[in-house]
């Protein structure tokens, strides 16, 4: 079973941001999956995933993943602007 990744998240009207604290993370050792309402980052032996509360645009040029300095930064463009107050869908 994968280990959970500790993370911080924030948002503004148009973007959702995650900073995943993944020691030793390297782009070549990572699997990232972004869809409209689901995000997964697998960095063996750890994994982060989330069912999102609302839709993002995984193909937008501002949506990106950066790896470096023991962290993975996800910048996700929201499909509809607005504050979510939480990122994870319930139920």
């Amino acid at each position: 079973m994968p280990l959970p990744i500790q993370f911080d998240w924030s948002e503004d009207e148009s973007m959702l941001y995650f900073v995943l604290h993944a020691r030793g993370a390297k782009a070549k050792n990572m699997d990232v999956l972004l869809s409209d309402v689901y995000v997964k980052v697998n960095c063996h032996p750890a994994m982060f995933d989330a069912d999102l509360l609302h839709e993002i645009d995984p193909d937008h040029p501002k949506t990106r993943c950066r790896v470096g300095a023991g962290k993975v930064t996800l910048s996700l463009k929201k499909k509809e602007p607005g504050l979510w107050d939480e990122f994870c869908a319930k139920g």
Side-chain angles (χ1 to χ4, degrees), residues 25 47 73:
M47 186 178 88
T73 304

Side-chain angles (χ1 to χ4, degrees), residues 4 18 43 55-56 73-74 83 88:
F18 290 95
C43 182
E55 291 185 349
I56 60 164
T73 304
L74 298 172
L83 295 177
C88 197

Side-chain angles (χ1 to χ4, degrees), residues 22-31 42-44 67-68 70-72:
R23 188 179 318 187
K26 295 184 181 183
K28 67 180 181 177
N29 299 341
M30 192 173 308
D31 177 41
N42 188 356
C43 182
H44 186 73
V67 181
K71 65 183 179 182
V72 178

Side-chain angles (χ1 to χ4, degrees), residues 25-68:
K26 295 184 181 183
K28 67 180 181 177
N29 299 341
M30 192 173 308
D31 177 41
V32 178
L33 171 70
L34 301 176
S35 71
D36 290 350
V37 292
Y38 182 70
V39 175
K40 180 184 86 168
V41 177
N42 188 356
C43 182
H44 186 73
M47 186 178 88
F48 168 83
D49 72 330
D51 292 310
L52 300 175
L53 186 61
H54 300 288
E55 291 185 349
I56 60 164
D57 185 351
D59 299 318
H60 194 281
K62 287 188 176 181
T63 295
R64 60 183 91 140
C65 175
R66 291 189 207 147
V67 181

